[in-house]
Amino acid sequence: MGEVRKLQKKLRQIENLEIKITLTPEERFKISRKAELRSRLAQLQLQLSGPQQTLGIVGDGKKEKMKRQVENAPEALPSQMPPASKIHKGEKESKAQATPVPAARQEEAVGEAEIGRQRERTEPAKVSDYCRDTSRRCPDFDKEQQLQQQEAEFTSLKASWEKSKFRLRLLEGHNDIVTCVVAVDNLVVSGSRDTTVKVWHVPTATEQKNLGGHTGGVTCLSAPPPEYCKRLAWSLSLSDKERFILSGSADCNVKIWALSTGQCVKSIYTFNAVTALCFVPEEDGYIITGSDGGKVQAWSWHSFQNCQSVNAHQEAVTSIQSQGPLVFSGSAEGGVSVWENRCSDRDPLMLLHHWSSQVTGLRGGVDGRLTLSPRGDRVFLAYGQAWLKILHWRTGATSRVTNHSDITGVTDCVHQTGGLLISSCYDLANGESTLNLFSLPQCQYLVSLAWPDAPRILCFAAWTTGSGDHRWVTGGHNLTVLEQLPSSGKQRGDVTVRRDSGMDSCLQESEGDTEGDEDTDDYEDDDDDNDEGKDSWSDHAEDGGSRSWLRCVLQ
């Protein structure tokens, strides 16, 4: 088992090396050994899964533990909860059939029944009698009906997704890693480490515009709503149908681009490398940026002046998202802050909560790139682990949803669209990349989508067409569009739709049950006294630490 962990760590370090801009000869040699290490890992896992082993392939022991935790959880998911009244009724019937009643007890029961009938005439109706009243409904009965309806809806949704088909389109043009994507109508806008922002027309899979102007890698994008674009267009004497895109870069600039012309209409110098941004559509509108040093800043959409600068996090801000007047920021060290926009000219952001890595449980992440997606009182967090973390941001309570049936899975991004939660998963052991779909709000696993030679997915965007079909775009080493095909059509899909039975058995866990497993992926390799492991791999241990991906982007 120790060698398995060492191989997993080396593969993780190789994946982090591959997204660096420049590589030394030593690093290239390590990358060339990836296939060899994966083959050796597969052999060891096969040996561990033999009949002499009880835990099976590495990770199965943890999976069975997680399964037991879910089954014993006091608050099971709706689909796991059989109707209480039916169980109660069945138990009574089975007991009545299994145990014959003696004659003396029958006479005694007849007497008690007569006494009971006399009491009914003088005593008020009990709760059980109320439930029998056909003119009224028992709350337990209503709850049972609601659970049955939810389970039926989930079963129907799962069946429809199992039959879904997608066509793939590769958008070729970037010559480096795609770090961010956003969808605007039928357009996809992508930002890359090659310093460019590109605009793509999805129906024809063609590049429309190449927006060059940044001198550093593009790290983040955001699309203001149409009504705020209209205000800016009026001030610039452009068409009121003009759409704008915001791009942030390691060159310390936020640029505002007009999509129709491809021109940069405004550039904001932030004095810090911009690593995350979002647009807050409240009052006159605000641009919120995060920096590589942990600073969160607010900028007026009306005047483009700085309204506020706060040293909010200890490490780089890697994700910022808005939800109404609320702003959520996540950082490389695993902390999450929740802000309220008070719509003022000075200091509009008021800190509501800050949850450190000790609370979120995201300590010592594999690549220090936290991605978040808020929904109501919950925030879904992806942090390079084999699961998704759920933070209840008002209370600090946490839970997690399994996103891979083995510990070699890496989750890089999470996204919501409609009633779906979509997360990426990359298997370090075999190099396979998938998209996992969950139904909301229960976070029940639906299906996984995979396709040949799918690279590690570092960013994701989603939207629906006028007919209600899904279109998604994934970014990383490739920029790929997934277009949902009509279910009634005869055309074959390019995407494989499958179900991972290991994820069915471990849907959601409370954090208290899994606290001991937090740092499963962040083991140390200090006992490696064999091969060149200790010397040649430990020099890049920091690269697999909290800021490796971000450093790659900012170079």
Side-chain angles (χ1 to χ4, degrees), residues 187-189 197-201 206-209 211 259:
L187 300 176
V188 164
V189 184
V197 175
K198 291 184 180 291
V199 183
W200 311 84
H201 185 243
T206 57
E207 178 183 331
Q208 277 199 340
K209 292 179 177 64
L211 312 182
L259 288 184

Side-chain angles (χ1 to χ4, degrees), residues 329-370:
S329 60
S331 65
E333 83 273 5
V336 174
S337 292
V338 185
W339 314 79
E340 182 181 9
N341 182 3
R342 299 176 296 177
C343 300
S344 61
D345 294 335
R346 296 302 306 172
D347 299 334
L349 296 180
M350 179 179 68
L351 182 64
L352 297 180
H353 298 280
H354 174 75
W355 303 111
S356 66
S357 59
Q358 284 71 26
V359 175
T360 64
L362 303 178
R363 304 180 294 273
V366 295
D367 59 11
R369 183 173 175 260
L370 186 151

Side-chain angles (χ1 to χ4, degrees), residues 51 63 67 108 114 231 280 318 472 481 499 517:
K63 181 172 64 178
K67 179 178 180 181
E108 182 179 347
E114 180 63 28
R231 298 180 193 178
V280 181
T318 58
W472 302 336
V481 173
R499 290 185 57 79
D517 298 327

